Amino acid sequence: MKIVIFGLTLSSSWGNGHATPYRALLRGLHRLGHDVSFYEKDVEYYYWRRDFREVDYCQLVLYLEWNDVRQRALQDAAEADAVIIGSFCPEGARIADEVLALAKPLKIFYDLDTPVTLKELARGDLDYVRRDQLPAYDLVLSFTGGAVLEQLESRWGTRVARPLYGCVDPDVYQRVEPSADFTCGLSYMGTHSRDREQKLRELFLDVAARQPADSFLLAGTMYPPDWDFPVNVHRVDHVRPARHPEFYSSARATLNLTRGDMAVNGWCPSGRFFEAAACGTPLFSDWFAGLEDFFTDGEELRVVHSTADVIAAMELSDAELSRLAYRARERTLEQHAGLRRAQQLLGYLEQLRPAISLLISDGPACASR
């Protein structure tokens, strides 16, 4: 199959949660023998923090303005079997107007920010999607599952809404030798957001304040300069994806915190959830509805609701933490790898257009990832 994607970014993981799951998904599609092109607007804040300009698993097209690449992109899209426009794609609604008019390809909207999108659409149209466009897509994919899928179809008129959750590439994310740069008792990686502030304070910073003998590592951008951090919290800004395995492998455990809008809807695992698990790092996480569909509390992770819960989880023995990490990694490789998400995507397309012969492999090599 030929698939064309217009998305926020593939080339830079700085300050966004789109790049790494896109990379895992596209690697999976490439491994299954499919041809993918990814169009990305070359914006300044990603230009200066770019991880790469080209890759071997897809054709990455960087452009300054839509008109500069429009003719090439629409020709590419017209010849494709499927075209995907992702959430927060700059001028995505404008691009969609032209893509939706094409005859051949299946048209898909992939929302990696569904609760945010629907909250904002209730107030008015967005740069990357308009309210009248959702019913025009053949398929809407959502990073968030649960009731939001029914809402997409019943309230917003989407023809078909299906989940396509975050994922990880286990060839990239695996256990490595710890690094002195990231060694700590508990780590947290995440860009600052107001709707995570309270959880961050209660489940991370307050824990650090009450556990002065332990070391903590906070990685992420955009934190207010006037914040007062406990002395045992070490801070780093952006961690390049190439160093994520070092980051996770160097922590005794890592914490997952869910954005407020996402948690309200549930069924919203972060891609970093699976990255940490693939690296064999014990996971502590706040709770959201549907969490048990991804990991089981007490068997594959520890759910924490309070400062005391985190302290109790940190007091588990190394052997107990290792058992949690091992089970989470096994489940991640089986259910949450990029190859698995690629197979799910191709399955959806097969249902929409049975005449397309999709090369979905069920061989041992695929099952092991």
Side-chain angles (χ1 to χ4, degrees):
M1 287 189 70
K2 179 176 180 178
I3 301 172
V4 174
I5 302 175
F6 299 93
L8 172 64
T9 181
L10 183 73
S11 71
S12 175
S13 60
W14 182 84
N16 72 84
H18 289 219
T20 49
Y22 269 136
R23 293 171 192 176
L25 175 64
L26 269 57
R27 283 180 186 272
L29 290 169
H30 177 73
R31 176 173 290 178
L32 292 169
H34 301 282
D35 178 19
V36 182
S37 296
F38 191 100
Y39 284 82
E40 173 184 338
K41 186 170 185 179
D42 194 3
V43 297
E44 183 178 6
Y45 42 88
Y46 292 147
Y47 176 89
W48 293 109
R49 302 171 178 91
R50 181 156 286 137
D51 303 318
F52 51 72
R53 295 190 66 88
E54 58 183 34
V55 287
D56 59 4
Y57 52 83
C58 77
Q59 182 178 27
L60 173 60
V61 182
L62 297 165
Y63 62 93
L64 291 175
E65 299 295 339
W66 171 241
N67 286 337
D68 297 339
V69 76
R70 176 181 175 275
Q71 184 174 354
R72 172 188 175 180
L74 291 179
Q75 181 64 37
D76 212 7
E79 297 171 355
D81 297 294
V83 178
I84 300 172
I85 298 178
S87 55
F88 283 93
C89 172
E91 298 184 278
R94 175 187 177 186
I95 296 170
D97 280 335
E98 304 202 69
V99 167
L100 290 169
L102 299 175
K104 178 186 174 182
L106 290 168
K107 295 91 174 176
I108 299 125
F109 179 63
Y110 187 15
D111 202 334
L112 287 78
D113 312 272
T114 316
V116 175
T117 296
L118 297 186
K119 181 179 179 179
E120 295 301 318
L121 276 179
R123 300 171 180 164
D125 292 330
L126 302 174
D127 174 71
Y128 59 90
V129 67
R130 296 196 310 270
R131 286 171 287 188
D132 66 288
Q133 290 176 331
L134 285 178
Y137 281 104
D138 298 302
L139 171 67
V140 172
L141 297 171
S142 173
F143 227 51
T144 306
V148 77
L149 300 174
E150 191 277 332
Q151 184 183 350
L152 279 164
E153 294 182 352
S154 63
R155 177 177 177 184
W156 298 99
T158 297
R159 298 179 193 178
V160 181
R162 295 289 184 268
L164 194 67
Y165 298 113
C167 57
V168 65
D169 184 346
D171 288 340
V172 175
Y173 288 86
Q174 51 188 281
R175 195 127 191 109
V176 299
E177 286 297 317
S179 166
D181 293 340
F182 304 127
T183 300
C184 63
L186 183 67
S187 68
Y188 171 71
M189 182 188 294
T191 302
H192 171 262
S193 64
R194 290 191 177 277
D195 59 357
R196 273 195 298 232
E197 276 190 12
Q198 184 57 37
K199 290 180 184 178
L200 180 66
R201 292 186 183 280
E202 186 174 350
L203 302 180
F204 190 79
L205 299 180
D206 288 352
V207 176
R210 288 175 54 178
Q211 299 287 102
D214 286 319
S215 58
F216 297 78
L217 177 62
L218 172 63
T221 60
M222 303 181 186
Y223 285 90
D226 60 345
W227 273 28
D228 186 20
F229 293 93
V231 293
N232 56 338
V233 173
H234 176 57
R235 287 199 57 213
V236 295
D237 193 29
H238 175 61
V239 180
R240 293 182 295 108
R243 301 201 70 189
H244 281 192
E246 288 178 71
F247 176 86
Y248 290 119
S249 298
S250 303
R252 186 168 181 265
T254 197
L255 177 67
N256 172 74
L257 298 177
T258 310
R259 293 284 302 270
D261 286 338
M262 305 292 277
V264 167
N265 288 273
W267 285 268
C268 53
S270 163
R272 289 176 181 147
F273 214 42
F274 304 131
E275 292 175 7
C279 291
T281 304
L283 278 163
F284 306 156
S285 178
D286 61 338
W287 181 86
F288 56 82
L291 173 60
E292 64 278 1
D293 284 2
F294 306 97
F295 293 114
T296 302
D297 182 23
E299 294 183 14
E300 294 155 337
L301 54 62
R302 285 291 293 261
V303 172
V304 290
H305 302 277
S306 66
T307 303
D309 285 347
V310 179
I311 292 173
M314 292 181 68
E315 290 174 349
L316 293 173
S317 69
D318 290 343
E320 289 172 302
L321 289 176
S322 294
R323 281 193 291 270
L324 290 176
Y326 174 80
R327 292 168 183 155
R329 185 174 189 275
E330 289 298 297
R331 187 164 180 180
T332 295
L333 297 185
E334 180 182 350
Q335 298 180 9
H336 308 308
L339 189 61
R340 177 62 182 141
R341 293 291 183 262
Q343 291 172 320
Q344 290 172 338
L345 170 61
L346 296 172
Y348 294 147
L349 301 185
E350 185 178 45
Q351 293 169 11
L352 289 172
R353 183 173 287 178
I356 295 179
S357 177
L358 299 177
L359 303 176
I360 306 178
S361 172
D362 293 321
C366 296
S368 68
R369 291 289 184 262

